[in-house]
Amino acid sequence: MLIEIKSRWGGSVLFKGEFGSLKLCVEAAAGSGANLSRANLFGANLSGADLSRANLFGANLFGANLSRANLSRANLFGADLSGADLFGADLSGANLFGANLSGADLSGANLFGADLSGANLSGADKIKMSNTTTIETGETWKEYLEQVVPALLKAGGGSVTQEAWTCHTWRNCPMAEAFKVKNEASIPILYRPRTRQFVRYYDMGLIPMPKLLK
């Protein structure tokens, strides 16, 4: 059957062909290097699809099923992935700058090397992570919580209080207390990337208070 992939803005046809499913059509488009920028793939079932290196800049993937899909090195800059099922998906090296991941299921996903700068990971619906999710710096979510977070909280020589875990400003948030500073620029440069990472996950409510503070 003839399947068309249309733009989310204006409805122009970005790619079309005779395929047995939308998934096969999208895979063919990605494999051919077609420009799927701003494609409307709202709620699409793309489970297990090979979309490596696909150009999905600004695409509408709201609520899409991308479980176990190969999105390695895909361009998802500014894409709407809110509520998407990314369970076990390979997002290694993907460009997720400015992408909306609110409410997405990243359980078991591989985010190693992904660019999450400016990504929207906030909102009432928090994203879902599991112990086996590999985050952008290469460790699993379990390793991050059990090893990286405690080490980071001690790295600056400060004393982090329980009250800090209720603060989300540089007045007395965990990183402010840990490094005894009032802004990110005052943190030693070696720890700034880890600080940004911590703040991103902390502001989502994904980092529980360590036992050492309870």
Side-chain angles (χ1 to χ4, degrees):
M1 59 180 170
L2 178 64
I3 295 179
E4 297 179 335
I5 301 174
K6 296 182 178 181
S7 170
R8 63 188 299 189
W9 308 119
S12 58
V13 177
L14 303 175
F15 187 84
K16 65 180 179 180
E18 295 285 341
F19 298 96
S21 67
L22 176 58
K23 171 185 171 180
L24 293 175
C25 182
V26 176
E27 283 185 319
S32 69
N35 185 358
L36 296 177
S37 296
R38 300 180 178 87
N40 184 12
L41 295 166
F42 177 95
N45 183 3
L46 300 171
S47 176
D50 183 1
L51 303 175
S52 56
R53 299 179 182 271
N55 183 7
L56 290 160
F57 175 98
N60 180 10
L61 288 155
F62 180 97
N65 182 358
L66 290 157
S67 58
R68 297 186 175 82
N70 180 5
L71 289 156
S72 58
R73 293 179 167 264
N75 181 12
L76 291 158
F77 183 107
D80 186 357
L81 289 154
S82 52
D85 182 357
L86 290 157
F87 178 90
D90 184 358
L91 290 153
S92 57
N95 179 7
L96 290 158
F97 184 96
N100 183 4
L101 286 157
S102 178
D105 185 354
L106 288 163
S107 302
N110 180 8
L111 289 158
F112 178 66
D115 183 0
L116 291 164
S117 306
N120 178 12
L121 302 172
S122 60
D125 297 319
K126 304 296 189 296
I127 70 168
K128 299 174 185 176
M129 305 277 266
S130 70
N131 286 341
T132 56
T133 299
T134 300
I135 61 175
E136 68 275 19
T137 35
E139 68 273 21
T140 64
W141 183 240
K142 184 174 187 291
E143 290 170 333
Y144 177 74
L145 292 180
E146 294 182 352
Q147 299 180 47
V148 177
V149 170
L152 187 62
L153 292 174
K154 296 176 182 177
S159 178
V160 181
T161 63
Q162 290 187 27
E163 290 71 24
W165 230 258
T166 64
C167 179
H168 290 267
T169 71
W170 283 98
R171 183 175 59 84
N172 68 330
C173 69
M175 289 296 96
E177 289 195 348
F179 289 93
K180 297 178 286 188
V181 297
K182 294 300 181 182
N183 54 65
E184 182 189 299
S186 299
I187 289 177
I189 194 168
L190 177 65
Y191 295 106
R192 283 181 209 163
R194 282 297 192 178
T195 298
R196 295 189 196 104
Q197 180 186 42
F198 175 92
V199 169
R200 187 166 62 241
Y201 291 130
Y202 171 70
D203 283 346
M204 293 165 56
L206 286 175
I207 302 180
M209 184 187 298
K211 292 180 180 178
L212 59 92
L213 300 181
K214 295 180 180 178

